[in-house]
């Protein structure tokens, strides 16, 4: 016998019963966008490599180290998408959504691919539910996006240990001055060579350094919110005021920077305190300027990406993963070959009434079939043997109480539906 294949390193399979939780999370994360007029969009899983280089930014780890890039048989350089925003914006522009009613608002879900060092909560394929809204610079839109994340995580999924960090990263007029100040400040510190290099190339990322010897030296670092231009300050204040109106609990995080280059003004991250190092269960922000970089008009946009994998882990950490009720409500068991046809008809009738129903296959013994009925989570076993056939009836057994009664086949669906 040859060895079994394994899923590639850094990936995993979503299999039952975990997949119930997975689907529940996707559904919950997608609900606020659906309630808020965001239309569903689906784009290819691979794009021109140049789209990500230009859109996400060459200096980011995602682009410089983590992309799955390959040449196709036509000699094109393609990349499996490492994130959703660049491809979705490409599609919105290509399909002229920017010429219709603004803001144009979409939501999406699907896998993303990053060649990262795998660990708990960090995978080489991960799934996000995301939104992008383009063509508006209204701070109310930033607040709407943050509210949607918070509402899904806290209200719909019931997570208690979520913190939402909010910052402003300024704009192209105020950030360069701040960047200069920060570079000057960082130049005076005792940093190792790679960090010194980063301080030149992407100084804001140094603020995010987790090592205590670096953080100790950053206590007096200049912070972006103290150096915002008047317009950015107004925008930031309005976003925060709206969040208060929407009752979204947030924390100001003046050192928050994100791993992607396109953010300006509002940035945010949703952290879960039960997850250890990979605690970000979502993040996003405003990206005015990005659409122009991608060849579109000078309009702004804002969005988020929420991690499905990590949200499942967060629910498990808070023990909120157990309460999904089985879809199977009834389990039909034929006894003896003569009952097969009737059992099948009954099964299909129940399903036709919207009642989740499974059928026992392979003529198993009643004992084995009852075991499977218990495992399925069904509320009722419906047993049909020769005696029942003669009376055009079935034995309906309540699997939690053990009670059973004989019910006429024509009343079966009604009986089950009434007692669910
Ligand atoms: P991101 O912060 O890179 O943002 O990813 C969003 C979320 O995806 C993270 O908070 C995390 O939950 C999850 N995630 C990212 N990488 C991994 C991984 N290797 N393993 C497991 N989960 C992961 C974006 O991708 C932006 N496109 C979000 C956005 C949309 N900004 C504006 N619009």
């Amino acid at each position: 016998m040859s060895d079994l294949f394994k899923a590639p390193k850094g990936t995993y399979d979503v299999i039952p019963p975990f997949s119930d939780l997975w689907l529940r999370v996707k559904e919950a994360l997608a609900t606020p966008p659906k309630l808020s007029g965001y239309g569903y969009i689906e784009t290819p899983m691979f794009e021109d490599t140049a789209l990500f280089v230009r859109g996400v930014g060459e200096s980011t780890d995602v682009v410089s180290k983590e992309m799955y890039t390959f040449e196709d048989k036509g000699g094109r350089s393609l990349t499996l998408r490492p994130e959703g925003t660049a491809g979705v914006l490409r599609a919105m522009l290509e399909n002229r959504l920017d010429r219709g009613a603004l803001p144009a608002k979409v939501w999406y879900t699907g896998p993303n691919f990053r060649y990262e060092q795998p660990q708990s909560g960090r995978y080489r394929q991960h799934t996000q539910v995301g939104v992008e809204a383009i063509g508006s610079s209204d701070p109310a839109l930033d607040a709407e996006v943050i509210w949607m994340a918070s509402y899904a995580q806290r209200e719909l999924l019931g997570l208690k240990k979520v913190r939402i960090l909010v910052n402003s990263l300024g704009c192209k007029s105020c950030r360069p001055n701040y960047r200069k100040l920060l570079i000057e400040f960082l130049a005076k510190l005792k940093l190792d060579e790679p960090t010194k290099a980063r301080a030149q190339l992407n100084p804001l990322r140094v603020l995010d350094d987790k090592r205590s010897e670096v953080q100790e030296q950053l206590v007096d670092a200049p912070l972006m919110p103290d150096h915002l231009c008047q317009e950015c300050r107004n925008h930031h204040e309005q976003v925060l005021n709206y969040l208060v109106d929407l009752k979204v609990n947030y924390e100001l995080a003046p050192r928050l920077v994100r791993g992607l280059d396109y953010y300006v003004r509002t940035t945010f991250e949703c952290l879960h305190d039960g997850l250890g190092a990979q605690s970000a269960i979502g993040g996003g922000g405003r990206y005015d300027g990005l659409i122009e970089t991608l060849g579109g008009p000078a309009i702004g946009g804002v969005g988020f990406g929420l991690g499905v994998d990590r949200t499942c882990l967060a629910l498990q950490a808070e023990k909120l993963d157990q309460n999904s009720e089985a879809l199977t409500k009834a389990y039909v068991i034929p006894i003896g070959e003569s009952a097969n046809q009737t059992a099948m008809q009954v099964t299909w009738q129940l399903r036709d009434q919207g009642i989740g129903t499974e059928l026992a296959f392979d003529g198993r013994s009643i004992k084995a079939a009852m075991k499977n009925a218990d495992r399925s989570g069904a509320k009722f076993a419906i047993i049909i043997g020769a005696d029942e056939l003669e009376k055009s009836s079935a034995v309906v057994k309540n699997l939690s109480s053990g009670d059973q009664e004989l019910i006429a086949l024509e009343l079966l669906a009604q009986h089950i539906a009434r007692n669910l």
Side-chain angles (χ1 to χ4, degrees):
M1 252 203 332
S2 51
D3 288 343
L4 288 175
F5 286 105
K6 289 203 164 103
K9 184 172 176 189
T11 70
Y12 64 97
D13 303 305
V14 176
I15 55 170
F18 170 72
S19 49
D20 284 343
L21 178 66
W22 176 267
L23 289 176
R24 178 152 68 89
V25 165
K26 277 191 143 199
E27 185 57 38
L29 299 182
T31 295
K34 287 189 209 164
L35 287 176
S36 311
Y38 289 64
Y40 180 65
I41 190 169
E42 201 161 311
T43 66
M45 253 179 259
F46 55 85
E47 298 273 357
D48 249 336
T49 301
L51 173 71
F52 299 117
V53 174
R54 222 185 314 152
V56 179
E58 230 159 341
S59 73
T60 61
D61 280 356
V62 169
V63 167
S64 64
K65 298 186 192 148
E66 297 170 0
M67 293 210 299
Y68 280 90
T69 297
F70 60 98
E71 199 171 282
D72 75 359
K73 291 199 169 77
R76 302 168 192 90
S77 179
L78 298 172
T79 294
L80 296 183
R81 64 177 176 223
E83 59 99 54
T85 308
V88 166
L89 293 185
R90 193 266 313 137
M92 292 178 89
L93 296 173
E94 188 175 337
N95 294 287
R96 298 177 188 264
L97 269 61
D98 59 309
R99 313 270 175 97
L102 295 179
K105 302 179 295 184
V106 295
W107 76 273
Y108 54 90
T109 181
N112 301 282
F113 307 87
R114 299 180 189 181
Y115 191 80
E116 296 197 81
Q117 217 29 60
Q119 63 179 87
S120 168
R122 187 162 73 191
Y123 310 107
R124 291 187 173 167
Q125 173 174 331
H126 73 275
T127 296
Q128 292 183 15
V129 169
V131 299
E132 311 298 344
I134 65 167
S136 166
S137 46
D138 192 332
L141 189 59
D142 307 35
E144 171 171 286
V145 167
I146 298 174
W147 169 80
M148 288 194 291
S150 165
Y151 187 74
Q153 293 161 344
R154 291 166 165 160
E155 309 299 324
L156 299 180
L157 291 169
L159 288 169
K160 297 270 178 296
K161 295 186 182 169
V162 180
R163 287 186 294 134
I164 297 187
L165 309 188
V166 183
N167 193 17
S168 172
L169 289 181
C171 66
K172 65 174 188 271
S173 79
C174 56
R175 189 150 70 201
N177 287 335
Y178 166 69
R179 195 172 177 272
K180 221 186 302 160
L181 275 177
L182 185 60
I183 290 178
E184 281 166 20
F185 175 86
L186 296 174
K188 293 184 215 134
L189 307 184
K190 288 198 196 76
L191 301 169
D192 57 22
E193 286 307 319
T195 315
K196 269 189 194 156
R198 186 168 332 135
Q200 289 299 318
L201 195 71
N202 203 340
L204 273 78
R205 290 290 318 176
V206 179
L207 290 180
D208 209 24
D209 201 309
K210 303 281 181 288
R211 292 169 298 177
S212 57
E213 67 271 26
V214 179
Q215 278 305 326
E216 279 160 18
Q217 300 186 68
L218 291 174
V219 177
D220 298 322
L223 297 173
M224 188 68 238
D226 300 327
H227 298 273
L228 295 174
C229 61
Q230 194 56 48
E231 277 150 39
C232 283
R233 193 170 310 146
N234 289 345
H235 187 94
H236 193 41
E237 271 169 20
Q238 287 181 61
V239 173
L240 300 180
N241 287 339
Y242 283 130
L243 290 178
V244 173
D245 294 339
L246 292 169
K247 301 192 168 45
V248 175
N249 262 327
Y250 67 87
E251 293 171 28
L252 286 175
R255 289 158 194 268
L256 175 72
V257 274
R258 308 235 321 117
L260 312 167
D261 268 357
Y262 43 65
Y263 294 108
V264 296
R265 292 193 168 168
T266 311
T267 46
F268 70 97
E269 210 148 71
C270 313
L271 302 185
H272 189 270
D273 285 335
L275 291 187
Q278 304 304 317
S279 61
I281 58 171
R286 183 163 271 286
Y287 43 74
D288 301 349
L290 174 59
I291 292 166
E292 265 178 297
T293 307
L294 298 179
I299 54 174
V302 54
F304 67 46
L306 307 179
V308 173
D309 313 71
R310 289 187 195 166
T311 306
C312 288
L313 293 175
L315 285 159
Q316 288 171 332
E318 290 199 36
K319 307 220 176 328
L320 293 169
D321 55 324
Q322 313 291 355
N323 58 358
S324 58
E325 208 184 300
L327 280 176
T328 296
K329 306 294 177 203
Y331 197 99
V332 180
I333 303 171
I335 300 172
E337 258 180 55
S338 61
N340 280 350
Q341 210 181 348
T342 304
M344 191 169 243
Q345 280 165 354
V346 163
T347 303
W348 261 254
Q349 275 163 10
L350 291 175
R351 289 178 187 164
D352 200 39
Q353 297 297 310
I355 300 167
T357 308
E358 283 188 64
L359 176 62
F361 293 109
D362 291 312
R364 295 248 162 77
S365 70
I366 174 100
K367 199 170 153 210
M370 285 302 283
K371 209 165 166 187
N372 281 348
D374 275 329
R375 278 201 199 122
S376 75
K379 187 157 183 205
F380 298 104
I382 297 170
I383 303 149
I384 308 173
D387 288 354
E388 288 76 26
L389 274 183
E390 225 166 78
K391 296 180 200 144
S392 288
S393 303
V395 170
V396 175
K397 177 168 184 178
N398 183 320
L399 290 171
S400 37
S401 68
D403 297 344
Q404 57 182 57
E405 50 190 321
L406 194 68
I407 305 288
L409 291 179
E410 60 191 48
L411 300 176
L412 199 58
Q414 210 184 333
H415 176 83
I416 300 284
R418 210 176 322 121
N419 290 288
L420 278 180

